[in-house]
Amino acid sequence: MTRLEPAVALVCGAGSLPYAIADAAVQRGRTVVLFAIKGWADPERVPRYRHHWVTLGKFGRWRALAREEGCRQVVLIGGLVRPALGDIGLDWRTLRILPRLARCYRGGDNRLLSGIAEILEQDGFEVVSAQELAPDILVPRGAVGGVPPRATDLADIDRGLAVLAALGPFDIGQAVVVCDGRVLGIEAAEGTDQLLGRIAALRADGRVATPRGRGVLIKAPKRGQDRRFDLPAIGPATLSGVIAAGLGGIAVLAEAAVMAEPQQLIRAADAAGVFVLGIEPTGAHPR
Amino acid sequence: MTRLEPAVALVCGAGSLPYAIADAAVQRGRTVVLFAIKGWADPERVPRYRHHWVTLGKFGRWRALAREEGCRQVVLIGGLVRPALGDIGLDWRTLRILPRLARCYRGGDNRLLSGIAEILEQDGFEVVSAQELAPDILVPRGAVGGVPPRATDLADIDRGLAVLAALGPFDIGQAVVVCDGRVLGIEAAEGTDQLLGRIAALRADGRVATPRGRGVLIKAPKRGQDRRFDLPAIGPATLSGVIAAGLGGIAVLAEAAVMAEPQQLIRAADAAGVFVLGIEPTGAHPR
């Protein structure tokens, strides 16, 4: 049997998305090697795959392992919180690229990830997107699941998209919560789960007093962001957060957001009466 | 002795700002009557002034009392969380204006407050700003206190102002936290104290890993907002939040933000090495 495509290195942070992508890639006949980041990747799930545990700051060791495994393509996937540069134990190769890394640290996540991708490519790797490896994880256009959005939801979605478009130049969050025309929360460094937790808390202490089942979580990529990584993602934790926050649904830009464990997500959303919508791309939010 | 100016009705929500304004107005020779909103105004401080306790939704009673007291001018001041319309016990007059109120509920705080002001003015009251009554509470231009901002702080302030300008059309929050060029948090419905609490939590769990003493809280009015009410405010609680979040300073648009208890605030800021800056107005953020 001829190996048509080289192995792909999946650098895994937190969350369930890395395993959904690994499974989908294997199903498509790819050879996958997980490089699981200590402290972030799930120690329960990693051992089911061919893998190496790696440490942030040991870039030289990672590069040697990836070459040994014959990986030419690299996918960066899953949550990762930027540690203080001074807290990372650095190997020699990492020290050499440190000035460039430090420059990427000034700014948002997209800048940091683009900087890392550039360094990888100068070393001869090809950085590819998770969706290239596993196109099935992209959220399609239209209602996903059986609950449709209402007209007020569509108005809230438009407003949310306008807010995200306005924030595009600043490399900030990709998520916003809008209810009855009022912007309740905007994601910055805290992430979507915390944003949703905040809305639930505002509701609990009476500061958000709209009836349950109204309001939408809207997610879209940043304008001009490198879509090879850090696409907006939704998964079971997102849905739980939306339900706890008393919102009516989730809307993400179609074909520009990824869904971990889609079957489970759709079943749970339908059961809770929460809509999940893939928004048609527009001028401000192109494909 | 002739009374030159009619009494002014101070409708008081939460926080210490209403009393700072009442004191300043009395010192300028004005007669002040507090209309303290039950559940929001401070029951310890209200009784020191001529006052009536009022309930949200009893607009007819408020109007009768304000006329009886000879109040022609009204100031709306202090924090107030919008309750569910259905939770408010309504009197007859309020029921009549309810359709208009309900429309104002769809949208941000500025829209709601502008709507209420319009209703008051149709009833013959003049809605004036807190700063007209007490100009001393406006934050002046330049460094307030003894700690100057550094060059990196000024860059963060510019970025924060740009984010607030971009959000201007959406009637959202007036505050943002920027550190080393990265936008850490944006205020929406949760208010500044919670925004700062979130940054402190992100720092505690390692998600913000910059050294303490870096980063700025930036506040400015919304573009086109009615500056008669809800100007950005800073006070002792803001300073405590900034210190707990490990930030380097506070920057507000000069002459467009108010400061409760300025002497205390400046003393405490100097002691903590935190700068407080009145930003020069610009095109995007005019006077």
Side-chain angles (χ1 to χ4, degrees), chain A residues 81-84 105-109 152 155-156 159 162-163 166-167 169-172 180-191 194 198 202 205-209 214, chain B residues 81-84 105-109 152 155-156 159 162-163 166-167 169-172 180-191 194 198 202 205-209 214:
Chain A
V81 166
R82 49 175 82 196
Y105 252 62
R106 283 190 63 89
D109 285 342
T152 53
D156 285 343
R159 194 163 179 81
V163 170
L167 290 175
F170 302 105
D171 195 0
I172 312 181
D180 289 348
R182 183 171 171 228
V183 179
L184 298 183
I186 301 174
E187 177 186 326
E190 73 277 21
Q194 278 206 28
R198 182 157 90 235
L202 287 171
D205 71 12
R207 304 181 71 186
V208 165
R214 295 178 81 93
Chain B
V81 166
R82 47 175 82 196
Y105 251 63
R106 282 191 63 88
D109 285 341
T152 53
D156 285 343
R159 192 161 181 82
V163 170
L167 290 175
F170 301 104
D171 196 0
I172 312 181
D180 289 347
R182 184 171 171 227
V183 179
L184 299 183
I186 302 174
E187 177 185 326
E190 74 276 19
Q194 277 206 28
R198 183 157 87 237
L202 286 171
D205 71 12
R207 303 180 72 187
V208 165
R214 295 179 80 93

Side-chain angles (χ1 to χ4, degrees), chain B:
Chain B
M1 188 186 147
T2 329
R3 274 227 338 245
L4 292 170
E5 292 179 284
V8 57
L10 221 68
V11 181
C12 305
S16 56
L17 204 51
Y19 316 102
I21 288 157
D23 293 344
V26 168
Q27 277 189 350
R28 298 170 77 89
R30 296 297 301 264
T31 303
V32 168
V33 184
L34 266 55
F35 290 88
I37 299 173
K38 275 180 204 158
W40 298 105
D42 185 344
E44 302 271 309
R45 302 185 72 168
V46 167
R48 297 183 212 157
Y49 304 83
R50 177 158 187 85
H51 72 279
H52 300 280
W53 283 97
V54 293
T55 312
L56 288 177
K58 301 285 190 281
F59 180 65
R61 179 171 174 267
W62 175 84
R63 189 173 62 167
L65 281 170
R67 284 176 175 167
E68 231 167 74
E69 291 280 6
C71 299
R72 277 219 6 267
Q73 291 188 320
V74 181
V75 174
L76 306 172
I77 191 79
L80 182 65
V81 166
R82 47 175 82 196
L85 276 176
D87 291 347
I88 309 175
L90 303 168
D91 68 8
W92 180 239
R93 174 72 195 148
T94 313
L95 272 172
R96 284 195 50 201
I97 61 174
L98 195 61
R100 275 194 283 165
L101 268 183
R103 272 198 301 277
C104 305
Y105 251 63
R106 282 191 63 88
D109 285 341
N110 190 50
R111 181 169 173 173
L112 179 58
L113 286 163
S114 297
I116 290 170
E118 201 179 293
I119 292 166
L120 292 173
E121 300 201 320
Q122 284 169 0
D123 270 329
F125 294 100
E126 183 196 359
V127 178
V128 298
S129 67
Q131 60 273 23
E132 186 177 318
L133 206 63
D136 305 344
I137 65 166
L138 282 173
V139 176
R141 296 178 187 213
V144 180
V147 183
R150 294 154 303 183
T152 53
D153 297 323
L154 296 176
D156 285 343
I157 291 167
D158 281 346
R159 192 161 181 82
L161 286 175
V163 170
L164 292 173
L167 290 175
F170 301 104
D171 196 0
I172 312 181
Q174 303 164 314
V176 63
V177 173
V178 182
C179 181
D180 289 347
R182 184 171 171 227
V183 179
L184 299 183
I186 302 174
E187 177 185 326
E190 74 276 19
T192 305
D193 292 347
Q194 277 206 28
L195 165 67
L196 291 170
R198 183 157 87 237
I199 307 299
L202 286 171
R203 186 182 286 283
D205 71 12
R207 303 180 72 187
V208 165
T210 41
R212 293 189 73 85
R214 295 179 80 93
V216 186
L217 169 70
I218 300 117
K219 298 191 78 166
K222 300 162 194 169
R223 189 165 71 203
Q225 93 164 55
D226 189 329
R227 294 200 179 172
R228 284 177 302 169
F229 25 69
D230 200 29
L231 274 193
I234 57 174
T238 319
L239 181 67
S240 310
V242 162
I243 294 168
L247 303 179
I250 302 170
V252 297
L253 195 64
E255 293 155 26
V258 297
M259 196 163 38
E261 302 169 56
Q263 277 75 27
Q264 270 173 267
L265 182 76
I266 293 164
R267 257 200 311 275
D270 282 351
V274 166
F275 72 83
V276 178
L277 181 74
I279 307 161
E280 295 283 335
T282 64
H285 292 279
R287 248 207 91 185

Side-chain angles (χ1 to χ4, degrees), chain A residues 222-263:
Chain A
K222 301 162 192 168
R223 190 164 70 202
Q225 92 164 56
D226 190 330
R227 294 199 180 173
R228 284 177 301 169
F229 24 71
D230 200 28
L231 274 193
I234 56 174
T238 320
L239 181 68
S240 309
V242 161
I243 294 169
L247 304 179
I250 302 171
V252 298
L253 195 65
E255 295 155 24
V258 297
M259 197 164 37
E261 302 169 55
Q263 278 75 28

Side-chain angles (χ1 to χ4, degrees), chain A residues 9-60:
Chain A
L10 221 69
V11 181
C12 305
S16 55
L17 204 50
Y19 316 102
I21 287 156
D23 291 344
V26 167
Q27 276 189 349
R28 298 171 78 89
R30 297 297 302 264
T31 303
V32 168
V33 185
L34 267 56
F35 289 87
I37 299 172
K38 275 180 204 158
W40 298 105
D42 185 343
E44 302 271 308
R45 302 185 73 169
V46 167
R48 296 182 214 156
Y49 304 83
R50 176 159 188 85
H51 71 278
H52 299 280
W53 284 97
V54 293
T55 312
L56 288 176
K58 301 286 190 280
F59 180 65

